[in-house]
Amino acid sequence: MAVLYIKEQGAMIQKLGERILVKKGNETLLELPVLHIENMALIGNVQITAQALHMLMERGVDVSYFSYSGKYLGQTAADASKNIFLRFEQYSFYLDIERRMEMARRIVANKINN
């Protein structure tokens, strides 16, 4: 399964049967079975139909929204999100100050090395 990033400005996400379509005007840019989508990220001026959003929610696919510059704006989370265990691990990681500091050290060291 994959995270689907849609950043084509003016694109429209639509549902067609059990598939997700990414269209711009009359042109289909992408057609993908919903079963292959784990998460979806919409960046900038990208729209999604209610029908597509309902299908994604029913299948536990979360949709995240970002500004054109990449700023996180929010998320539509499915009731039975596939990412609940990931969130638990992230919260556990956050609560462990030693692990957080080690991760921060690694990030800074990698930035210095690169």
Side-chain angles (χ1 to χ4, degrees):
M1 286 207 239
V3 178
L4 184 60
Y5 292 89
I6 308 297
K7 62 180 185 175
E8 180 67 36
Q9 300 305 287
M12 171 71 77
I13 313 301
Q14 298 177 339
K15 172 188 183 289
L16 179 64
E18 295 297 310
R19 302 177 76 75
I20 288 292
L21 299 178
V22 180
K23 296 184 84 171
K24 186 169 183 179
N26 291 328
E27 182 183 1
T28 299
L29 304 176
L30 178 70
E31 186 174 336
L32 189 67
V34 72
L35 295 173
H36 291 85
I37 304 170
E38 181 178 347
N39 243 322
M40 188 179 290
L42 308 183
I43 303 165
N45 181 26
V46 178
Q47 297 181 39
I48 185 167
T49 65
Q51 294 86 349
L53 195 55
H54 291 175
M55 180 174 66
L56 292 167
M57 296 299 101
E58 288 170 354
R59 286 163 184 72
V61 177
D62 294 344
V63 179
S64 300
Y65 305 92
F66 299 86
S67 71
Y68 181 74
S69 63
K71 179 183 175 200
Y72 176 74
L73 300 172
Q75 180 174 330
T76 303
D79 188 37
S81 174
K82 295 178 181 177
N83 292 318
I84 190 68
F85 298 109
L86 173 62
R87 297 287 175 257
F88 286 152
E89 183 60 27
Q90 288 171 336
Y91 293 137
S92 167
F93 191 90
Y94 173 78
L95 293 174
D96 186 341
I97 189 72
E98 304 261 338
R99 285 175 71 193
R100 280 181 19 208
M101 292 304 293
E102 179 57 30
M103 177 65 73
R105 285 185 198 98
R106 287 182 187 174
I107 291 171
V108 171
N110 284 332
K111 289 207 174 267
I112 290 170
N113 288 335
N114 289 328

Tab-separated table of all heavy atoms in Angstrom, residues 4-13 21-25 27-30 41-48 66-68:
chain	number	residue	atom	x	y	z
A	4	LEU	N	-0.589	8.346	-1.205
A	4	LEU	CA	-0.810	9.030	-2.466
A	4	LEU	C	-0.733	10.538	-2.235
A	4	LEU	O	-1.518	11.090	-1.477
A	4	LEU	CB	-2.179	8.638	-3.027
A	4	LEU	CG	-2.571	9.178	-4.384
A	4	LEU	CD1	-1.571	8.726	-5.443
A	4	LEU	CD2	-3.968	8.706	-4.748
A	5	TYR	N	0.248	11.176	-2.841
A	5	TYR	CA	0.432	12.625	-2.742
A	5	TYR	C	-0.126	13.257	-4.018
A	5	TYR	O	0.330	12.935	-5.112
A	5	TYR	CB	1.912	12.979	-2.616
A	5	TYR	CG	2.528	12.533	-1.320
A	5	TYR	CD1	3.106	11.267	-1.202
A	5	TYR	CD2	2.543	13.367	-0.212
A	5	TYR	CE1	3.679	10.847	-0.019
A	5	TYR	CE2	3.112	12.954	0.979
A	5	TYR	CZ	3.676	11.700	1.069
A	5	TYR	OH	4.242	11.290	2.248
A	6	ILE	N	-1.070	14.165	-3.854
A	6	ILE	CA	-1.642	14.875	-4.992
A	6	ILE	C	-1.258	16.339	-4.846
A	6	ILE	O	-1.707	17.017	-3.910
A	6	ILE	CB	-3.180	14.743	-5.045
A	6	ILE	CG1	-3.611	13.284	-4.966
A	6	ILE	CG2	-3.723	15.436	-6.298
A	6	ILE	CD1	-3.143	12.424	-6.104
A	7	LYS	N	-0.428	16.825	-5.761
A	7	LYS	CA	0.020	18.213	-5.691
A	7	LYS	C	-0.251	18.983	-6.975
A	7	LYS	O	0.151	20.130	-7.107
A	7	LYS	CB	1.498	18.282	-5.336
A	7	LYS	CG	2.418	17.629	-6.335
A	7	LYS	CD	3.855	17.753	-5.909
A	7	LYS	CE	4.760	17.203	-6.986
A	7	LYS	NZ	6.158	17.413	-6.681
A	8	GLU	N	-0.937	18.367	-7.917
A	8	GLU	CA	-1.292	19.037	-9.173
A	8	GLU	C	-2.374	20.078	-8.886
A	8	GLU	O	-3.506	19.734	-8.527
A	8	GLU	CB	-1.786	18.018	-10.195
A	8	GLU	CG	-2.179	18.608	-11.529
A	8	GLU	CD	-0.995	19.181	-12.279
A	8	GLU	OE1	0.108	18.610	-12.206
A	8	GLU	OE2	-1.193	20.202	-12.944
A	9	GLN	N	-2.018	21.345	-9.031
A	9	GLN	CA	-2.932	22.433	-8.712
A	9	GLN	C	-4.130	22.408	-9.660
A	9	GLN	O	-3.979	22.289	-10.866
A	9	GLN	CB	-2.202	23.777	-8.781
A	9	GLN	CG	-1.042	23.876	-7.803
A	9	GLN	CD	-1.448	23.589	-6.366
A	9	GLN	OE1	-2.113	24.402	-5.725
A	9	GLN	NE2	-1.077	22.428	-5.851
A	10	GLY	N	-5.327	22.464	-9.066
A	10	GLY	CA	-6.559	22.409	-9.844
A	10	GLY	C	-7.079	21.002	-10.066
A	10	GLY	O	-8.092	20.814	-10.741
A	11	ALA	N	-6.408	20.015	-9.497
A	11	ALA	CA	-6.840	18.622	-9.668
A	11	ALA	C	-8.096	18.349	-8.848
A	11	ALA	O	-8.370	19.003	-7.838
A	11	ALA	CB	-5.725	17.668	-9.252
A	12	MET	N	-8.847	17.352	-9.289
A	12	MET	CA	-10.063	16.921	-8.609
A	12	MET	C	-9.963	15.422	-8.363
A	12	MET	O	-9.668	14.657	-9.285
A	12	MET	CB	-11.284	17.222	-9.476
A	12	MET	CG	-12.567	16.613	-8.965
A	12	MET	SD	-13.207	17.379	-7.460
A	12	MET	CE	-13.901	18.857	-8.124
A	13	ILE	N	-10.181	15.009	-7.104
A	13	ILE	CA	-10.175	13.587	-6.738
A	13	ILE	C	-11.620	13.105	-6.818
A	13	ILE	O	-12.504	13.681	-6.181
A	13	ILE	CB	-9.638	13.367	-5.305
A	13	ILE	CG1	-8.358	14.145	-5.042
A	13	ILE	CG2	-9.507	11.886	-5.010
A	13	ILE	CD1	-7.225	13.818	-5.938
A	21	LEU	N	-9.920	8.403	-8.952
A	21	LEU	CA	-9.452	9.097	-10.146
A	21	LEU	C	-8.903	10.454	-9.741
A	21	LEU	O	-9.478	11.131	-8.898
A	21	LEU	CB	-10.590	9.347	-11.135
A	21	LEU	CG	-11.327	8.158	-11.709
A	21	LEU	CD1	-12.452	8.640	-12.621
A	21	LEU	CD2	-10.387	7.273	-12.485
A	22	VAL	N	-7.806	10.843	-10.348
A	22	VAL	CA	-7.284	12.196	-10.210
A	22	VAL	C	-7.439	12.826	-11.581
A	22	VAL	O	-6.840	12.369	-12.553
A	22	VAL	CB	-5.807	12.205	-9.769
A	22	VAL	CG1	-5.311	13.637	-9.636
A	22	VAL	CG2	-5.631	11.451	-8.457
A	23	LYS	N	-8.284	13.871	-11.644
A	23	LYS	CA	-8.578	14.506	-12.925
A	23	LYS	C	-8.229	15.984	-12.862
A	23	LYS	O	-8.281	16.600	-11.803
A	23	LYS	CB	-10.058	14.336	-13.273
A	23	LYS	CG	-10.457	12.878	-13.475
A	23	LYS	CD	-11.882	12.760	-13.915
A	23	LYS	CE	-11.902	12.945	-15.406
A	23	LYS	NZ	-13.203	12.660	-16.010
A	24	LYS	N	-7.898	16.515	-14.008
A	24	LYS	CA	-7.721	17.954	-14.159
A	24	LYS	C	-8.404	18.313	-15.468
A	24	LYS	O	-7.968	17.877	-16.541
A	24	LYS	CB	-6.252	18.342	-14.182
A	24	LYS	CG	-6.056	19.846	-14.188
A	24	LYS	CD	-4.614	20.222	-13.953
A	24	LYS	CE	-4.499	21.739	-13.889
A	24	LYS	NZ	-3.113	22.150	-13.631
A	25	GLY	N	-9.486	19.054	-15.359
A	25	GLY	CA	-10.310	19.309	-16.535
A	25	GLY	C	-10.910	17.994	-16.997
A	25	GLY	O	-11.454	17.236	-16.204
A	27	GLU	N	-9.033	15.653	-18.424
A	27	GLU	CA	-7.928	14.700	-18.484
A	27	GLU	C	-7.808	13.898	-17.184
A	27	GLU	O	-7.788	14.463	-16.098
A	27	GLU	CB	-6.617	15.448	-18.742
A	27	GLU	CG	-5.413	14.544	-18.866
A	27	GLU	CD	-4.123	15.319	-19.049
A	27	GLU	OE1	-4.143	16.562	-19.070
A	27	GLU	OE2	-3.068	14.658	-19.143
A	28	THR	N	-7.715	12.576	-17.294
A	28	THR	CA	-7.472	11.717	-16.137
A	28	THR	C	-5.969	11.583	-15.962
A	28	THR	O	-5.277	11.059	-16.832
A	28	THR	CB	-8.112	10.334	-16.325
A	28	THR	OG1	-9.528	10.497	-16.476
A	28	THR	CG2	-7.831	9.440	-15.128
A	29	LEU	N	-5.464	12.075	-14.814
A	29	LEU	CA	-4.032	12.032	-14.541
A	29	LEU	C	-3.609	10.719	-13.897
A	29	LEU	O	-2.485	10.269	-14.077
A	29	LEU	CB	-3.642	13.200	-13.629
A	29	LEU	CG	-4.002	14.601	-14.121
A	29	LEU	CD1	-3.650	15.647	-13.076
A	29	LEU	CD2	-3.324	14.891	-15.440
A	30	LEU	N	-4.524	10.134	-13.122
A	30	LEU	CA	-4.207	8.903	-12.395
A	30	LEU	C	-5.487	8.160	-12.089
A	30	LEU	O	-6.512	8.767	-11.763
A	30	LEU	CB	-3.475	9.242	-11.081
A	30	LEU	CG	-3.113	8.081	-10.169
A	30	LEU	CD1	-2.003	7.241	-10.791
A	30	LEU	CD2	-2.666	8.596	-8.815
A	41	ALA	N	-2.508	12.539	0.713
A	41	ALA	CA	-2.113	13.897	1.083
A	41	ALA	C	-2.458	14.833	-0.068
A	41	ALA	O	-2.017	14.618	-1.197
A	41	ALA	CB	-0.618	13.957	1.377
A	42	LEU	N	-3.265	15.845	0.215
A	42	LEU	CA	-3.665	16.824	-0.784
A	42	LEU	C	-2.903	18.108	-0.513
A	42	LEU	O	-2.999	18.672	0.581
A	42	LEU	CB	-5.170	17.071	-0.736
A	42	LEU	CG	-6.052	15.811	-0.808
A	42	LEU	CD1	-7.522	16.193	-0.826
A	42	LEU	CD2	-5.693	14.962	-1.998
A	43	ILE	N	-2.156	18.578	-1.508
A	43	ILE	CA	-1.258	19.714	-1.329
A	43	ILE	C	-1.712	20.865	-2.215
A	43	ILE	O	-1.732	20.742	-3.445
A	43	ILE	CB	0.194	19.318	-1.656
A	43	ILE	CG1	0.605	18.135	-0.778
A	43	ILE	CG2	1.142	20.494	-1.482
A	43	ILE	CD1	1.851	17.421	-1.224
A	44	GLY	N	-2.091	21.977	-1.576
A	44	GLY	CA	-2.495	23.162	-2.322
A	44	GLY	C	-3.927	23.089	-2.795
A	44	GLY	O	-4.811	22.568	-2.116
A	45	ASN	N	-4.163	23.612	-3.994
A	45	ASN	CA	-5.502	23.720	-4.561
A	45	ASN	C	-5.918	22.402	-5.210
A	45	ASN	O	-5.908	22.266	-6.430
A	45	ASN	CB	-5.532	24.866	-5.587
A	45	ASN	CG	-6.897	25.043	-6.202
A	45	ASN	OD1	-7.908	24.695	-5.613
A	45	ASN	ND2	-6.926	25.563	-7.416
A	46	VAL	N	-6.248	21.428	-4.374
A	46	VAL	CA	-6.712	20.119	-4.826
A	46	VAL	C	-8.056	19.871	-4.156
A	46	VAL	O	-8.195	20.065	-2.952
A	46	VAL	CB	-5.711	18.999	-4.444
A	46	VAL	CG1	-6.242	17.643	-4.870
A	46	VAL	CG2	-4.349	19.276	-5.051
A	47	GLN	N	-9.039	19.452	-4.939
A	47	GLN	CA	-10.370	19.218	-4.406
A	47	GLN	C	-10.673	17.726	-4.401
A	47	GLN	O	-10.084	16.960	-5.159
A	47	GLN	CB	-11.409	19.944	-5.248
A	47	GLN	CG	-11.226	21.455	-5.231
A	47	GLN	CD	-12.281	22.150	-6.045
A	47	GLN	OE1	-13.441	21.753	-6.040
A	47	GLN	NE2	-11.878	23.188	-6.763
A	48	ILE	N	-11.609	17.355	-3.518
A	48	ILE	CA	-12.030	15.954	-3.443
A	48	ILE	C	-13.546	15.923	-3.323
A	48	ILE	O	-14.129	16.721	-2.586
A	48	ILE	CB	-11.340	15.216	-2.271
A	48	ILE	CG1	-11.684	13.733	-2.267
A	48	ILE	CG2	-11.653	15.873	-0.944
A	48	ILE	CD1	-10.802	12.896	-1.353
A	66	PHE	N	-2.600	19.974	3.081
A	66	PHE	CA	-1.442	20.840	3.224
A	66	PHE	C	-1.621	22.067	2.332
A	66	PHE	O	-2.243	21.975	1.274
A	66	PHE	CB	-0.165	20.103	2.806
A	66	PHE	CG	0.129	18.892	3.632
A	66	PHE	CD1	-0.424	17.663	3.313
A	66	PHE	CD2	0.957	18.979	4.744
A	66	PHE	CE1	-0.164	16.538	4.086
A	66	PHE	CE2	1.228	17.861	5.516
A	66	PHE	CZ	0.667	16.639	5.193
A	67	SER	N	-1.052	23.181	2.767
A	67	SER	CA	-1.055	24.367	1.915
A	67	SER	C	-0.104	24.110	0.748
A	67	SER	O	0.670	23.155	0.752
A	67	SER	CB	-0.613	25.594	2.707
A	67	SER	OG	0.776	25.517	2.996
A	68	TYR	N	-0.115	25.023	-0.221
A	68	TYR	CA	0.777	24.903	-1.378
A	68	TYR	C	2.244	24.886	-0.944
A	68	TYR	O	3.069	24.208	-1.529
A	68	TYR	CB	0.515	26.051	-2.350
A	68	TYR	CG	1.376	26.006	-3.577
A	68	TYR	CD1	1.123	25.076	-4.589
A	68	TYR	CD2	2.433	26.879	-3.730
A	68	TYR	CE1	1.917	25.013	-5.716
A	68	TYR	CE2	3.235	26.823	-4.872
A	68	TYR	CZ	2.975	25.892	-5.855
A	68	TYR	OH	3.761	25.837	-6.969
